[in-house]
Amino acid sequence: MMIPSLCWLFGILLSLQSWSCTSAATEEPTTILFVSSPEMKVIKYGTIPKGYLEVDKTVELKPLIETELSNPQGLAYDRTAKRLYVTDPRAGKIFFYDLDFSELSAGVVKLKGGQKVAVDSVEPRWVAVDSQGSIFFTDESANKVQSVPADQTTTATFLQGNAPATPRVVFEFPPTSFVSRPGGIATDGSHVYWGNKEEGKAVGSVVKGTEGGDKEDSG
């Protein structure tokens, strides 16, 4: 039996039972919640029409990806490209899926094409995408925060799934001392934020640095 966990989304506390989550704002007046379950090896989604959560309702989760994943964890949505990134540390890859919203008015989201590899030969835990389409992810076992510039995610070979991108290290231990089993990650377009599971002031720490690789703050 899965252990319940909680995800905070738009001021609403949703019981998701061991799911990781991300959301996608679309051109329609609907928000889409994407969730992953490492235990069940699936990705699901729920559509949230405007005003839906202002009343006492729950979000129905529907299957999106039910095969090909061995340990899906982190999720990130690229709104411009309409693309969902999924980390799978057991597979040693970050996958991506192009999405089809043509039936969104009926509450349906579909895949456009199949699974493609964005990054290979890593152990990614969590992933984030900035407004330009650059990918940032944490590699916990290697003590690295890495990125893929946006220009690598628009090449024909990448989009066809024939040539995974080559990531660059943004922060790494050693030589830096502020990367210690990095976990969750986020970006605001100028800075990248990640959580350390070890060697923080208490149990862990949250660190802020520039997307270019300069540390600015921690707490």
Side-chain angles (χ1 to χ4, degrees), residues 116-193:
K116 299 173 184 176
V117 179
V119 181
D120 198 0
S121 302
V122 292
E123 191 176 327
R125 295 290 175 177
W126 303 96
V127 62
V129 181
D130 70 12
S131 59
Q132 302 302 311
S134 297
I135 307 167
F136 295 83
F137 65 95
T138 53
D139 188 328
E140 181 180 332
S141 62
N143 274 323
K144 293 179 180 179
V145 175
Q146 302 196 68
S147 73
V148 175
D151 58 6
Q152 287 195 41
T153 68
T154 57
T155 65
T157 52
F158 177 87
L159 296 175
Q160 293 166 3
N162 298 328
T166 301
R168 71 177 185 89
V169 175
V170 184
F171 298 97
E172 178 182 20
F173 174 80
T176 60
S177 61
F178 43 87
V179 180
S180 182
R181 293 188 63 210
I185 190 167
T187 177
D188 60 11
S190 298
H191 299 88
V192 60
Y193 308 80

Side-chain angles (χ1 to χ4, degrees), residues 86-118:
V86 181
T87 67
D88 192 329
R90 188 173 298 161
K93 296 176 172 63
I94 299 177
F95 297 109
F96 73 91
Y97 301 83
D98 293 315
L99 302 180
D100 179 355
F101 296 112
S102 61
E103 298 180 30
L104 185 59
S105 60
V108 176
V109 178
K110 298 184 294 184
L111 299 181
K112 183 187 294 184
Q115 181 190 82
K116 299 173 184 176
V117 179

